Amino acid sequence: MEKSKVLVVGGTGYLGRRIVSASLSQGHPTYVLQRPEIGLDIDKVQILLAFKKQGAHLVEGSFSDLESLVRAVKLVDVVICPMSGVHIRSHNILLQLQLVEAIKKAGNIKRFLPSEFGFDPARMGHALEPGRVTFDDKMVVRKAIQDAKIPSTYVCGAGFAGYLAVNLSQMGTLVPPKEKVLIYGDGNAKVSIVDEDDIAAYTIKTIDDPRTLNKTLYLRPPENELSQKQLVEMWENLIGKKLEHISISEEDFLASMKGMDYAGQVGAGHFYHMFYEGALTNFEIGEEGEEASKLYPEVKYTRMNEYIKIYA
């Protein structure tokens, strides 16, 4: 079967550039939207040029110019939009409404994968303010997709390893603690932690797979469903040293959020749902979804005991 042509919108971002690489490596004709708003951001320009050298096609388009998006969309079969919804970077979820409009107008797209990848927003109606804005915005985009009758796949369920693994899930740092580690509650809530390269590989696997059409693909590889205590124990065994464990109760954690700025409160709210509720893993996957590692056993996903060795 001929491989679908893919347009990645947000292809220079943290996850987007991995999705472009995965698309190229899996043999898909790959297009990357080049937005004029890139301006003098030399890092992004160089990422785009590197992709061009690898065989990707750069196509110009802007969210402020609907017709330019329509032209870009008409070149491909599948659109993937891993735009940031993380406030410490940027929060652009609702920009996708313009992309939905372009896909609707173009009329040729057989699959759209919007910006999801973390919590399943359909399960987060109870989420704390202000962090719930991420989930509310994603549900607005989902409704627009459904109203426009655009075929879709939602890729959900992963805690990004770069933000949660090596730092032992400590907030405010991305490197491992040296002496003390903060444990959320009893530290036993399970979190699905996935290498971002594996997230990208699974994402690209879905696009020509009828089993994932109009479904949610959950990223829950079983060996990477870990509690914080298990993650800390892995690290302690690796370095041959026991850290001081400091437990923070649910009440104290929620109280600590009050002194944070807006972006900090958003992030802390997400940590709360992850580590006190286990919201990435505290449900059974029903008929609405599939689990990535079961569908695609050929993806040899990175286990976290291997992932964290880089800092040992």
Side-chain angles (χ1 to χ4, degrees), residues 53-287:
K53 285 182 181 177
Q54 294 167 42
H57 306 275
L58 305 184
V59 54
E60 292 188 3
S62 171
F63 283 98
S64 62
D65 180 356
L66 179 62
E67 288 307 314
S68 72
L69 293 179
V70 172
R71 288 193 296 271
V73 165
K74 282 184 174 179
L75 295 171
V76 299
D77 308 300
V78 173
V79 177
I80 306 175
C81 186
M83 297 191 73
S84 176
V86 182
H87 284 74
I88 58 170
R89 295 173 68 88
S90 59
H91 183 78
N92 298 317
I93 298 299
L94 291 181
L95 274 180
Q96 293 178 105
L97 294 176
Q98 191 79 338
L99 189 56
V100 171
E101 190 61 31
I103 292 170
K104 182 179 175 182
K105 192 168 182 179
N108 64 304
I109 291 303
K110 69 178 188 180
R111 192 86 62 105
F112 177 40
L113 284 70
S115 181
E116 295 269 347
F117 306 106
F119 295 94
D120 181 354
R123 299 179 182 274
M124 298 304 295
H126 66 291
L128 297 173
E129 295 282 6
R132 66 171 298 125
V133 66
T134 303
F135 316 124
D136 291 343
D137 285 359
K138 288 180 178 181
M139 290 306 293
V140 169
V141 174
R142 283 193 181 192
K143 185 176 187 304
I145 292 168
Q146 289 156 10
D147 289 348
K149 296 181 171 55
I150 297 169
S152 62
T153 297
Y154 305 137
V155 180
C156 293
F160 288 11
Y163 284 96
L164 296 176
V166 171
N167 63 350
L168 308 184
S169 305
Q170 305 299 284
M171 293 198 302
T173 182
L174 296 174
V175 297
K178 296 187 183 305
E179 303 295 336
K180 302 176 181 179
V181 60
L182 197 64
I183 302 293
Y184 305 112
D186 62 12
N188 290 324
K190 290 292 179 78
V191 178
S192 178
I193 306 178
V194 187
D195 184 325
E196 291 83 347
D197 289 335
D198 294 337
I199 295 173
Y202 286 129
T203 298
I204 297 300
K205 286 283 184 183
T206 69
I207 62 180
D208 285 327
D209 188 346
R211 297 173 296 177
T212 58
L213 181 61
N214 296 323
K215 283 195 168 188
T216 299
L217 182 79
Y218 290 99
L219 302 167
R220 290 175 56 176
E223 290 187 44
N224 283 7
E225 283 198 6
L226 301 168
S227 69
Q228 189 191 11
K229 276 191 173 176
Q230 287 175 309
L231 186 64
V232 171
E233 185 178 353
M234 276 183 190
W235 177 250
E236 290 174 334
N237 289 339
L238 195 58
I239 64 172
K241 175 184 175 181
K242 184 81 172 171
L243 302 177
E244 180 185 350
H245 294 200
I246 302 171
S247 178
I248 180 168
S249 69
E250 182 176 343
E251 295 76 15
D252 287 345
F253 184 88
L254 291 172
S256 73
M257 290 172 57
K258 294 175 183 176
M260 298 178 183
D261 62 15
Y262 182 83
Q265 288 184 35
V266 169
H270 294 180
F271 263 66
Y272 172 80
H273 295 301
M274 212 179 301
F275 291 102
Y276 290 92
E277 294 181 348
L280 287 174
T281 63
N282 64 359
F283 58 90
E284 296 295 323
I285 298 170
E287 292 183 358

Side-chain angles (χ1 to χ4, degrees), residues 28-64:
H28 291 272
T30 304
Y31 295 71
V32 185
L33 192 72
Q34 180 177 326
R35 296 160 59 192
E37 293 84 357
I38 200 169
L40 296 175
D41 192 331
I42 188 66
D43 292 331
K44 289 186 176 181
V45 170
Q46 290 184 342
I47 290 169
L48 289 171
L49 293 175
F51 285 143
K52 188 176 181 182
K53 285 182 181 177
Q54 294 167 42
H57 306 275
L58 305 184
V59 54
E60 292 188 3
S62 171
F63 283 98
S64 62

